[in-house]
């Protein structure tokens, strides 16, 4: 039984394919279109479906759209149709400035919901011509069954069903769903029981979005920059935010309207100077977020008695908050969905409908890695290198030779396996460098053309993580921070943030063998089992997906080398003269890159 999950209502459109409880493929649309986050969360873009991601999922399984049994869309418009169900048409404003229309609280709500209700037809009729092969013969009504899945239930399913826990409390914290911002669940087997929810407009996610805008960044995109800023400030304004939020003893909370400009002065211009007050405002809202969510999970723990907590929703990507919940909260174990934002609802919707359709409490999948996107073989990569007339070398021992290159102070693009699903680069589409000297952080920020306050993160061998980081546990998805051990700080200065922490990724051989072997080889040469791992992209671009993406990014940035599959490219030969660089002949003149299939 094949079930396709789709997220498209707001931002981060994505598709996931599940077969009989097992995830086969998952991808975000941004990786194909080069539009970061896929689209902006506005009513005029709601109709856009992740056709490229859907096509990839179908291709991965070798099936057509008509061979699906179910399609699960991670938003339920029925929850917002009160008083409008019998309408056959909707109106939208012809001119700006209209605040309400025909009973809608927002004049564009009708357009938004119409786009979702008509998604089954859009999927069939709107597919681009170059992707139409796998979509032919489908109709608006199937032959598959279409399901609209509650947005927060999809988030909750993405947190619990692929987790390693058979029973867990589940917390969903995001900006907005259909009508709620926060929800509490108890998961057991393949079941999810709703325990409570917080209605809009009260939303910790929207509060953080408002702060993101006020601080001069792009909301629904740059919230992680506010988290990074917070470490440079002091929570001197925390009482202002505490007084806005009222937490009740049943998991409910309310947030009073903000008057940020009235309290703190004008909104910072994009790219404008960062002042001490900006750092302190970020620190204050981050502190109060952590305090508030600690209260919420304390109630959830008391309500469920569970020892495990699973989390999803965009707020669950706040790794500083996650660490505080881990260290000071009542739960023994915390598992956060690596694609915790809206992209992950495609996963949750698919797994939920699959479980309901199979009518089984058996769990068949644990998310041990996220390398679920497009992958390319060495043959594919070499064909493209030849077609592009590029010089390259096939490495005899990738881990050992690249470790030497990194130990010499070079920065490399690292391209292996399938694309990661979710916002973190985790060793498939990464930029790697030594964690020393300290100015390696500045070098990488310059290379990526991003703000100089942004930290870079370490990847560490799982078995040695606790020797460099306090209270280190397995953390394969880079969703928690840990203090750097003081006695090790001078060995890894580039990954130690201003507050003494680092957002760590741990890796073992089973999760990613070549990545593990590279770090191990670097450890054997330097005594440091740590590398810098940051995403393989430059400012404004999504993480690279195809070999073409990787090579374009390599040649348009100050990277020293690109290691792609078993091959290495450099811009100047910094290695020994005995290295044999060559341009390999195309084995078949008729071979064209355009004909190479995504694996």
């Amino acid at each position: 039984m094949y079930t396709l999950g789709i997220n498209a209502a707001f931002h981060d459109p994505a598709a996931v394919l599940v077969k009989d409880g097992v995830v086969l493929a998952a991808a975000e649309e941004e990786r194909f279109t080069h539009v970061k986050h896929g689209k902006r969360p506005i009513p005029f873009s709601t109709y856009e479906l992740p056709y490229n991601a859907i096509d990839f999922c179908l291709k991965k399984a070798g099936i057509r759209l008509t061979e699906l049994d179910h399609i699960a869309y991670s938003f339920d418009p029925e929850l917002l149709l009160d008083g409008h169900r019998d309408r056959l048409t909707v109106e939208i404003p012809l001119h700006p400035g209209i605040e309400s229309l025909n009973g809608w609280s927002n004049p564009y709500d009708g357009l938004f919901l119409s786009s979702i209700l008509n998604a089954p037809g859009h999927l069939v009729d709107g597919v681009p011509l170059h992707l139409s092969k796998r979509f032919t013969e489908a109709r608006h009504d199937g032959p598959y069954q279409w399901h609209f899945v509650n947005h927060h239930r999809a988030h909750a399913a993405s947190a619990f069903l692929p987790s390693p826990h058979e029973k867990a409390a589940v917390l969903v914290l995001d900006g907005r769903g259909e009508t709620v911002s926060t929800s509490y669940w108890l998961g057991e087997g393949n079941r999810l029981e709703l325990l409570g929810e917080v209605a809009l407009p009260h939303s910790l996610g929207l509060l953080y979005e408002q702060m993101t805008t006020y601080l001069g960044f792009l909301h629904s995109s740059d919230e992680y920059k506010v988290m990074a800023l917070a470490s440079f400030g002091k929570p001197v304004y925390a009482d202002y935010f505490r007084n806005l939020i009222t937490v009740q003893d049943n998991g409910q909370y309310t947030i009073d309207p903000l008057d940020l400009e009235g309290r703190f002065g004008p909104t910072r211009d994009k790219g404008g100077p960062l002042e001490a007050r900006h750092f302190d405002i970020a620190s204050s809202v981050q502190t109060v977020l952590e305090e508030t969510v600690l209260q919420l999970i304390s109630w959830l723990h008391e309500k469920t008695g569970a020892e495990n907590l699973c989390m999803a929703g965009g707020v669950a990507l706040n790794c500083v908050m996650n660490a505080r919940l881990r260290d000071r909260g009542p739960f023994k174990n915390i598992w956060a969905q690596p694609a915790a934002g809206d992209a992950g609802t495609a996963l949750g919707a698919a797994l939920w409908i699959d479980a309901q359709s199979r009518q089984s409490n058996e769990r068949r999948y644990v998310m041990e890695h996220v390398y679920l996107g497009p992958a390319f073989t060495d043959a594919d990569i070499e064909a493209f290198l030849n077609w592009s007339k590029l010089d390259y070398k096939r490495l005899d021992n990738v881990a050992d030779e690249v470790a030497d290159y990194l130990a010499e102070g070079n920065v490399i693009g690292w391209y292996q396996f399938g694309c990661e699903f979710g916002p973190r680069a985790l060793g498939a589409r990464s930029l790697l460098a030594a964690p020393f000297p300290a100015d390696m952080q500045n070098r990488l920020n310059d290379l990526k053309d991003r703000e100089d306050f942004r930290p870079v993160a370490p990847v560490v061998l799982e078995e040695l993580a606790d020797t460099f980081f306090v209270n280190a546990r397995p953390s394969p998805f880079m969703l928690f921070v840990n203090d750097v051990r003081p006695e090790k700080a001078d060995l890894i200065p580039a990954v130690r943030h201003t507050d003494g922490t680092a957002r760590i990724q741990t890796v073992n051989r089973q999760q990613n063998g070549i990545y593990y072997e590279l770090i191990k080889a670097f450890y054997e040469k330097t005594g440091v089992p740590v590398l810098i791992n940051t995403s393989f992209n430059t400012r404004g671009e999504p993480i690279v997906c195809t070999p073409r993406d990787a090579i374009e990014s390599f040649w348009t940035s100050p990277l020293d080398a690109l290691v792609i599959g078993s091959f290495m490219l450099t811009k100047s030969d910094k290695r020994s003269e005995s290295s044999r660089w060559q341009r390999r002949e195309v084995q078949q003149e008729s071979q064209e890159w355009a004909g190479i299939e995504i694996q």
Side-chain angles (χ1 to χ4, degrees), residues 261-381:
E261 291 196 335
R263 176 63 181 85
F264 301 114
T267 297
R268 172 180 173 263
D269 292 332
K270 181 182 183 298
L274 285 165
E275 304 169 4
R277 68 185 179 97
H278 296 131
F279 297 115
D280 292 342
I281 292 167
S283 177
S284 300
V285 73
Q286 175 68 31
T287 296
V288 175
L289 172 70
E290 295 167 15
E291 293 173 351
T292 303
V293 179
L294 266 175
Q295 291 179 265
L296 301 182
I297 68 165
S298 295
W299 170 80
L300 183 58
H301 181 263
E302 183 178 348
K303 177 76 172 177
T304 62
E307 64 176 17
N308 306 309
L309 173 66
C310 298
M311 297 196 303
V315 181
L317 292 170
N318 190 308
C319 57
V320 178
M321 179 195 76
N322 293 348
R324 187 167 184 182
L325 303 183
R326 175 198 64 198
D327 296 338
R328 302 188 188 182
F331 288 96
K332 181 179 179 181
N333 303 299
I334 297 180
W335 193 87
Q337 166 54 238
D342 276 4
T345 63
L347 171 67
L351 286 173
W352 177 251
I353 293 301
D354 169 87
Q356 300 308 297
S357 301
R358 286 190 292 113
Q359 297 183 342
S360 168
N361 208 35
E362 177 191 4
R363 299 269 289 277
R364 297 180 176 178
Y365 177 77
V366 175
M367 199 170 200
E368 296 176 343
H369 67 80
V370 294
Y371 311 121
L372 297 165
F376 297 83
T377 66
D378 271 359
D380 295 335
I381 293 166

Side-chain angles (χ1 to χ4, degrees), residues 40 75 79 122 139 180 207 242 271 307 326 328 384 489 491 556-557 569 577-578 595:
R40 294 298 295 154
F75 194 93
L79 299 175
H122 292 165
R139 306 184 308 274
V180 305
L207 170 65
R242 291 186 184 112
E307 64 176 17
R326 175 198 64 198
R328 302 188 188 182
F384 182 65
L491 294 176
T556 56
S557 68
L569 292 77
E577 293 183 2
S578 62

Side-chain angles (χ1 to χ4, degrees), residues 370-402:
V370 294
Y371 311 121
L372 297 165
F376 297 83
T377 66
D378 271 359
D380 295 335
I381 293 166
E382 189 167 24
F384 182 65
L385 295 175
N386 285 323
W387 183 78
S388 302
K389 300 180 180 179
L390 296 172
D391 292 329
Y392 62 94
K393 178 189 177 182
R394 180 186 286 271
L395 300 177
D396 297 321
N397 186 322
V398 172
D400 191 65
E401 294 179 65
V402 175

Side-chain angles (χ1 to χ4, degrees), residues 21 31 51 70 125 160 162 185 215 241 296 334 347 363 386 391 408 431 455 461 468:
R31 308 298 168 85
Y51 290 109
H70 301 277
D125 296 337
F160 176 62
W185 309 75
L215 291 169
F241 294 102
L296 301 182
I334 297 180
L347 171 67
R363 299 269 289 277
N386 285 323
D391 292 329
E408 294 168 2
L431 300 183
L461 297 178
F468 275 73

Side-chain angles (χ1 to χ4, degrees), residues 15 17 20 90 97 115 130 134 155-156 220 222 238 321 356 455 461 480 529 584:
L17 186 64
D20 298 327
V90 295
S115 296
H130 70 284
R134 292 178 177 81
H155 268 309
S220 301
D222 292 345
M321 179 195 76
Q356 300 308 297
L461 297 178
F480 298 87
R584 295 176 180 263

Side-chain angles (χ1 to χ4, degrees), residues 207-282:
L207 170 65
Y208 216 86
E209 282 192 14
Q210 287 178 271
M211 297 310 306
T212 301
T213 298
Y214 177 78
L215 291 169
F217 303 114
L218 182 63
H219 74 84
S220 301
S221 174
D222 292 345
E223 282 71 22
Y224 60 94
K225 296 182 183 180
V226 177
M227 182 183 69
L229 274 184
S231 298
F232 292 89
K234 298 179 180 178
V236 296
Y237 304 115
D239 282 345
Y240 170 76
F241 294 102
R242 291 186 184 112
N243 291 333
L244 291 173
I245 302 173
T246 302
V247 179
Q248 302 172 23
D249 59 6
N250 60 354
Q252 294 296 307
Y253 64 84
T254 59
I255 302 177
D256 293 338
L258 280 73
D259 180 14
L260 297 174
E261 291 196 335
R263 176 63 181 85
F264 301 114
T267 297
R268 172 180 173 263
D269 292 332
K270 181 182 183 298
L274 285 165
E275 304 169 4
R277 68 185 179 97
H278 296 131
F279 297 115
D280 292 342
I281 292 167

